[in-house]
Amino acid sequence: MAHGQETAIEGIYEVCIGIPDPIVAIQYWEQYGYRIGQVGELSADAAEQLYGVNSFLRSIRLYHQNVDHGLIRLMVWQNPTNQGLGLVSMKVKGNRWATTLTADALNILNHVEDAKAAGWPIRYTNPYWEVIYNKERKSRPFIDSAVGVREMLLLQPFTRQVLFQRFGYTLPHYGQIDRNAALKTSQFTHMGMIVQDDSKESLKFYEEVLGLLRVRDDVETSYESSPAGRELFDLKPGEKYIVTAFDDPRSSKSDLMAARSGRLYIIRFPDAIALESQFEAAKPGSLGMSLYTYRVRGIQAYYDRIQASPAQKLTSIVENEFGEKSFSFIAPDGYFWTLVDS
């Protein structure tokens, strides 16, 4: 799809997190380098119009250094609709999680183990070694450099995170680590969703309607091939999932060094696997990670495009809690989205 100057979309703008206590949440995310940016509110009527939730809403947008994507919106609902995804398995339809680059995964693991020892509700994996690029390349341990990542899962009642540390390579536009942050972490680099759609029809929406760049497609991960995938996504022997990734259009399908963060990872499980549906626990009004937003230039053009698409429950264009033009809809795969005018 050709994009003129009038319309443009970038990487995922915000991960929106329903929280009961803003002070605790702000303190937590400050350790990852986030800071308070904007604060705004909506009446119950206005929140119902934009988010389908009849509750007064106060939101706090958290910034990370000077980046323009991968931000956090803390949403404090006067009357939350449910407790959210909590510690449920990553292997459910409706699941959402956000991934962060760190310079020190072991330090984060230290905090995780302290939290577990203190009796916190927490679910996690140790940092698994994964070779992501050039998997076929035979490297000689201790002689050649080890090129890959350590990645770990961290689930808490109001956050669902994957953290990864790179070894042997860098990507200049994919995650900016704040070295002064306690946990030496970047903004969110990519966000994930779980679907079941063997036909892949629902994927077309992100490419053809939203205009995102499909950069990886049909990348299979099986129980047998990936210890990390096996534990992160509760795979049973013989099970697999398939990854498709959508990027900011300025990213690249072929030039790894041009890859940009703000990526949307859609993980498809085959229709033959019985998956629980948790969409109700992962949309606005829910506690925890319950919404992703994209910022767009030319919001009316996007509205018209989405109105002509198979998306459902399209709202009017109204002002959000920060006074920005916004509208919401449910994509063909069942996920709730909000677009924000830039």
Side-chain angles (χ1 to χ4, degrees):
M1 173 181 294
H3 279 270
Q5 290 302 99
E6 303 313 306
T7 59
I9 191 166
E10 296 175 0
I12 290 181
Y13 182 46
E14 299 162 300
V15 174
C16 302
I17 308 173
I19 50 152
D21 182 344
I23 303 299
V24 171
I26 289 163
Q27 286 176 333
Y28 179 78
W29 291 110
E30 279 176 345
Q31 308 314 303
Y32 293 86
Y34 284 93
R35 67 181 189 279
I36 296 174
Q38 291 162 282
V39 178
E41 54 189 47
L42 283 181
S43 68
D45 285 349
E48 183 151 44
Q49 218 179 343
L50 183 55
Y51 302 116
V53 184
N54 184 14
S55 166
F56 174 77
L57 170 67
R58 182 163 174 263
S59 289
I60 304 153
R61 182 175 279 152
L62 304 184
Y63 292 118
H64 197 284
Q65 300 178 100
N66 60 351
V67 299
D68 60 1
H69 66 281
L71 309 183
I72 292 173
R73 190 191 307 192
L74 300 174
M75 303 179 86
V76 189
W77 298 97
Q78 191 166 40
N79 303 303
T81 51
N82 58 63
Q83 291 297 302
L85 293 164
L87 304 185
V88 305
S89 165
M90 296 279 279
K91 190 185 179 183
V92 296
K93 287 184 286 190
N95 182 23
R96 297 179 186 266
W97 68 96
T99 302
T100 303
L101 174 64
T102 178
D104 194 349
L106 274 181
N107 183 37
I108 293 171
L109 183 62
N110 295 341
H111 286 279
V112 167
E113 292 187 351
D114 281 349
K116 185 188 177 189
W120 286 29
I122 200 161
R123 183 175 172 180
Y124 69 98
T125 68
N126 285 318
Y128 276 98
W129 176 244
E130 280 279 293
V131 176
I132 296 179
Y133 304 107
N134 296 332
K135 284 176 181 279
E136 297 74 34
R137 185 175 71 96
K138 290 282 182 277
S139 68
R140 298 168 299 167
F142 299 104
I143 306 298
D144 300 331
S145 63
V147 180
V149 298
R150 286 267 171 193
E151 59 182 349
M152 63 182 286
L153 177 67
L154 173 55
L155 303 182
Q156 298 181 78
F158 309 119
T159 77
R160 300 172 70 78
Q161 295 167 262
V162 172
L163 298 130
F164 74 106
Q165 182 174 352
R166 289 190 189 122
F167 295 88
Y169 75 104
T170 57
L171 295 179
H173 308 297
Y174 205 101
Q176 306 302 317
I177 290 176
D178 181 353
R179 299 274 168 183
N180 296 316
L183 298 179
K184 294 185 169 41
T185 35
S186 72
Q187 80 276 36
F188 289 136
T189 57
H190 46 278
M191 300 71 187
M193 308 190 316
I194 301 280
V195 305
Q196 280 188 301
D197 179 6
D198 287 351
S199 72
K200 296 170 62 175
E201 277 300 304
S202 63
L203 297 180
K204 291 180 179 175
F205 176 82
Y206 296 97
E207 188 172 28
E208 296 174 4
V209 180
L210 291 187
L212 298 166
L213 182 69
R214 194 185 294 217
V215 289
R216 292 175 72 188
D217 208 3
D218 290 345
V219 179
E220 278 195 13
T221 299
S222 66
Y223 174 92
E224 290 72 22
S225 72
S226 170
R230 184 188 310 168
E231 193 173 358
L232 264 65
F233 293 99
D234 290 333
L235 296 181
K236 304 284 185 287
E239 289 185 346
K240 66 176 183 182
Y241 59 79
I242 301 114
V243 177
T244 300
F246 293 96
D247 273 14
D248 179 327
R250 295 171 298 170
S251 191
S252 172
K253 292 186 182 195
S254 54
D255 179 5
L256 183 60
M257 287 298 124
R260 286 179 177 266
S261 51
R263 176 173 290 178
L264 173 63
Y265 268 102
I266 297 182
I267 290 185
R268 281 187 303 120
F269 278 90
D271 290 341
I273 296 179
L275 284 195
E276 194 184 333
S277 178
Q278 289 277 2
F279 285 108
E280 285 302 308
K283 65 181 190 180
S286 306
L287 296 179
M289 292 183 170
S290 44
L291 174 66
Y292 304 143
T293 70
Y294 276 112
R295 192 161 61 158
V296 297
R297 207 162 56 239
I299 197 165
Q300 185 64 51
Y302 278 92
Y303 187 87
D304 295 344
R305 236 184 249 170
I306 289 164
Q307 193 168 36
S309 81
Q312 305 280 310
K313 298 196 175 174
L314 182 63
T315 72
S316 303
I317 298 176
V318 294
E319 285 198 352
N320 69 7
E321 54 268 45
F322 304 115
E324 302 155 334
K325 286 183 180 175
S326 290
F327 68 90
S328 300
F329 58 90
I330 295 177
D333 56 20
Y335 282 88
F336 192 110
W337 286 90
T338 299
L339 299 193
V340 179
D341 190 27
S342 64

